[in-house]
Amino acid sequence: MKHQAGQPVMVDCFWHAQVRPTDFILACGDGNSRLTSLRWSQWHPDSAVAEGFNVVNDCKPYCAAGKFHSYPVIVRLNAPQPWKKHPDLSHYTQLSLVYTHGKPDGFGQWVDLPLWN
């Protein structure tokens, strides 16, 4: 979706600004965690909220042989800051996942992650 003035963006692994993406890679290095089927109910100057799925590789017995599992999540974005690459744009710097039905091994029900800039 096209960026509108004053609206924060999400910065993806390829340094592209995204607004209300339907898919978003969380693990840029190996692609073993991504958000899919995102449906955004809010996209405001200070926060955004979506429902979707976190698709995570269980890496058992190792990542190349692992299986991907899909977990329903609520995604919350906040803490917008000026983007260093494009200071005229603000981008969300904090992402929270709330697992609503099941979760990956070793994860809490609520996970906070920094977003890169």
Side-chain angles (χ1 to χ4, degrees):
M1 184 174 280
K2 196 155 175 110
H3 171 70
Q4 295 176 0
Q7 193 174 50
V9 299
M10 289 180 80
V11 178
D12 69 17
C13 295
F14 304 103
W15 298 95
H16 298 142
Q18 294 192 30
V19 175
R20 295 179 183 257
T22 55
D23 295 295
F24 190 81
I25 296 172
L26 293 176
C28 290
D30 57 18
N32 283 325
S33 180
R34 71 181 304 132
L35 299 172
T36 65
S37 304
L38 294 173
R39 296 173 313 281
W40 296 93
S41 59
Q42 297 176 31
W43 194 278
H44 299 299
D46 60 343
S47 66
V49 176
E51 290 185 29
F53 296 91
N54 183 201
V55 180
V56 180
N57 187 346
D58 63 17
C59 291
K60 293 178 184 173
Y62 51 93
C63 291
K67 292 187 173 117
F68 283 88
H69 302 274
S70 185
Y71 303 94
V73 290
I74 296 170
V75 179
R76 298 179 194 276
L77 304 175
N78 58 35
Q81 299 291 325
W83 183 13
K84 291 177 186 171
K85 184 175 179 182
H86 294 285
D88 56 319
L89 290 179
S90 64
H91 71 104
Y92 295 112
T93 62
Q94 188 70 33
L95 179 141
S96 299
L97 299 177
V98 179
Y99 291 95
T100 59
H101 185 74
K103 59 185 176 56
D105 289 345
F107 282 50
Q109 199 69 38
W110 185 296
V111 175
D112 289 320
L113 303 169
L115 289 173
W116 42 89
N117 58 4

